[in-house]
Each structure stands twice: as structure tokens, then as C-alpha cells.
Amino acid sequence: MRRWLPLSFRLLLLGALVVFLFWPYSFEPLLKPLVQQNAPAVYNQGSLLALTVQHLVTVLAATAAATVVAIALAVLVTRPFGAEFLPLSRSLVNIGQTFPPVAVLALAVPVFGFGEKPTLIALFLYGLLPIFENTLTGLTNLPRPVMEAARGMGMTGFQRLLRIELPLALPVILAGIRLSAVISLATATIGSTVAAKTLGEVIIAGLQSNNLAFVVQGGLIVGALAVLIYDMLSALEARISATMQAAHG
């Protein structure tokens, strides 16, 4: 059963998002009923396109950093010399889940100041766990016959890791990255409370001015991005899984 959306729906959602970001005032008639008299229906305190791009850049940077660190830790603890570090690694990657992002922001602002850095730190910590656990699962559940064949061919541990283990575990790793990215995409909105440039600005502006249209705009853009990114990564994960099955089937 397919886990991703039909192509027609994807294109429709992507098209609507692009149109709204480049020509937001074309949606003004739909948003007008959500505002009080004389209140602006379309967010007018900045560029929606610029905020969306910055939001995505922040999420991408945090997810990329979390991916590198989480995979490196998972590889370390699945090697014989690093197995003893598994409890410590689990404790480290659980920090982001133990402390909510708001608490991390509150702790990071006095050290790093207002802006992007506290948000990146919060998203990085929050995104470690799913990637680490999925990578760990992928690397510890590899087909035994394949691993024995690789050893029989005289491959070194590093060669097995790069050529066999990571490629076979890639679909499971991608599932963790997908979850981490979607969580970060939604969580990044709180970065605007510490002056980071994210779509949270639109939502906060709507709450402060009692403008439901602003809140809806910010929420819908984040929601559409989350659906599209989740769908894209799900399709990529399924394609890689099918390729792996065909190669080893």
C-alpha cells in the first residue's frame, strides 16, 4: 500500500503553496471573512516567501547537523570498540526530548543571544532521537547471510560499513530523518519568540492582533510544507527499499 500522496494531489498542493507565496493577495477574498472590519486579511508585516525560505533553511541546517551527529553516534555504538558508549549515547540524544524546545530556547538565549542560534540548538537537540534510534535499528538488524558473505570476501570493517551496512540500513535511516524533519518543521515556529526569522512570526502577529487570517496563513503554510516534505521523503524511502529488495532478492 502506498504511503505517499497521489501525484495530482501533490501537484495541486505544491501549486497552491507557490501561488500563495508569490501572489498572496490573490487569496484575499478567501481570507477576508476571517478578519474584523478594516483589518488586513493577508500578512503585511514582511514577505511570506522570505519567511518560508528562512524557515526551511533553519530546519534544513538543524536536521543536517542532527543527521550527521546521530548517525555517527549510532555507528560508534554498533562497533565492538564503542558498544560500551550506548547508554551514554542514548542519554545524550534523549536530552532534546527530555527538555521541551521552549526550555532549550530559554537556556540558550542568555548564552547565544536572540536570533537563529537558540532555535538551531533546540531543533538540533529535538531531532537527534528519531535519527539515532532508526539508524541503530537499521544497523543492528542487517541480514546475517549478507554480512557473513561480506566477511568471507575479505572486506574490512570500514568497507562493510560503507558498502553493505549503511546502504542496507538507508531506508530505515531515512524514516528517522523524515520524522525528525517534520517535527523540526513544526517546532521551528517557536523560534520567532526569540527573534528568529520563521513562519512563527505570522502566527504570533495574528495572535497579538487577534487576526485569525494571519494565524491560518502561518499554520497552513507550515502544514503544507510538512505534508509535502513527509510525502517526498516517504516516496524516496519506498523507492530505495524497492531497489534494495530487487538487488538482494
Side-chain angles (χ1 to χ4, degrees):
M1 182 178 179
R2 292 195 318 178
R3 290 177 293 174
W4 57 93
L5 300 171
L7 178 60
S8 57
F9 185 85
R10 272 184 273 171
L11 293 176
L12 180 63
L13 182 60
L14 179 60
L17 180 61
V18 169
V19 171
F20 184 74
L21 291 178
F22 281 90
W23 301 282
Y25 283 95
S26 61
F27 287 79
E28 188 172 16
L30 296 175
L31 297 168
K32 202 68 176 174
L34 300 177
V35 300
Q36 300 174 357
Q37 190 175 11
N38 298 324
V42 177
Y43 183 70
N44 59 356
Q45 299 175 26
S47 167
L48 285 172
L49 178 60
L51 286 175
T52 301
V53 170
Q54 187 58 52
H55 190 104
L56 288 173
V57 168
T58 300
V59 170
L60 177 62
T63 303
T67 298
V68 171
V69 172
I71 291 177
L73 282 175
V75 169
L76 171 66
V77 300
T78 52
R79 305 305 98 180
F81 61 83
E84 62 183 298
F85 295 105
L86 178 57
L88 176 60
S89 297
R90 275 221 163 96
S91 298
L92 289 174
V93 300
N94 271 290
I95 290 176
Q97 305 294 325
T98 304
F99 296 97
V102 174
V104 176
L105 287 176
L107 293 172
V109 165
V111 178
F112 297 99
F114 288 90
E116 303 296 327
K117 289 182 180 178
T119 305
L120 286 170
I121 292 169
L123 296 182
F124 166 75
L125 293 175
Y126 211 55
L128 284 172
L129 182 61
I131 303 174
F132 174 80
E133 290 294 345
N134 275 48
T135 304
L136 193 62
T137 299
L139 292 176
T140 54
N141 289 279
L142 297 169
R144 186 178 297 274
V146 175
M147 297 306 298
E148 290 177 352
R151 291 189 185 94
M153 293 171 61
M155 284 187 177
T156 64
F158 187 69
Q159 288 174 328
R160 291 197 302 271
L161 175 65
L162 291 184
R163 299 183 185 179
I164 306 295
E165 297 181 46
L166 287 176
L168 286 177
L170 187 56
V172 183
I173 296 172
L174 276 176
I177 295 173
R178 166 168 50 88
L179 181 58
S180 179
V182 172
I183 291 174
S184 293
L185 195 67
T187 308
T189 55
I190 67 170
S192 294
T193 60
V194 293
K197 289 291 182 180
T198 73
L199 287 164
E201 281 192 16
V202 185
I203 298 173
I204 291 172
L207 294 174
Q208 290 177 337
S209 61
N210 196 28
N211 189 325
L212 182 58
F214 285 6
V215 177
V216 169
Q217 285 165 66
L220 286 179
I221 294 173
V222 172
L225 289 172
V227 169
L228 289 169
I229 290 174
Y230 183 94
D231 180 66
M232 177 187 68
L233 292 177
S234 294
L236 178 61
E237 177 191 338
R239 176 162 295 189
I240 292 175
S241 296
T243 301
M244 291 296 178
Q245 289 176 1
H248 297 91

